[in-house]
């Protein structure tokens, strides 16, 4: 075999190995970044769930406050009529 063919084969083999290695390293990097993104998404979802529960609780307390205010108003009206 001529030296040009051997050099070409070595060059192609080296390029192929570097390409496969680069793809492997890049794949690991993408996998790591996706895991980090998933962690952030999980934290975000937890905040959304807690916010939703807080909004429900606030709505319930607001309704209870309205009922209590109506009762107070009724009692005050009753007290004025008894005078």
């Amino acid at each position: 075999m001529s030296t040009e063919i051997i050099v070409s084969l070595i060059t192609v083999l080296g390029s192929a190995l570097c390409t496969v290695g680069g793809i492997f390293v890049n794949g690991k990097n993408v996998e790591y970044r996706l895991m980090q993104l998933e962690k952030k998404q999980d934290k975000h979802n937890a905040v959304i769930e807690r916010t939703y529960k807080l909004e429900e609780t606030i709505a319930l307390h607001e309704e209870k406050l309205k009922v209590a205010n109506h009762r107070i108003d009724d009692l005050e009206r009753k007290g004025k009529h008894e005078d």
Side-chain angles (χ1 to χ4, degrees):
M1 255 189 205
S2 70
T3 56
E4 291 88 15
I5 293 175
I6 293 173
V7 170
S8 296
L9 289 175
I10 292 172
T11 303
V12 168
L13 183 61
S15 294
L17 287 174
C18 288
T19 300
V20 170
I23 290 171
F24 180 74
V25 169
N26 191 33
K28 288 290 186 181
N29 188 28
V30 168
E31 183 180 339
Y32 172 77
R33 293 178 68 190
L34 280 174
M35 288 174 58
Q36 296 302 314
L37 187 59
E38 287 174 356
K39 287 179 185 178
K40 287 181 181 181
Q41 184 68 37
D42 290 342
K43 287 180 183 180
H44 173 75
N45 288 344
V47 169
I48 295 299
E49 289 175 15
R50 288 185 1 224
T51 302
Y52 180 73
K53 288 178 184 177
L54 286 171
E55 288 173 346
E56 285 181 333
T57 302
I58 288 171
L60 178 65
H61 287 295
E62 286 176 346
E63 186 61 32
K64 286 182 178 181
L65 184 61
K66 286 180 185 177
V67 170
N69 283 334
H70 285 296
R71 287 181 181 172
I72 291 170
D73 289 341
D74 290 345
L75 289 173
E76 287 176 348
R77 282 189 208 127
K78 217 179 207 185
K80 288 181 182 178
H81 290 300
E82 290 178 1
D83 289 340

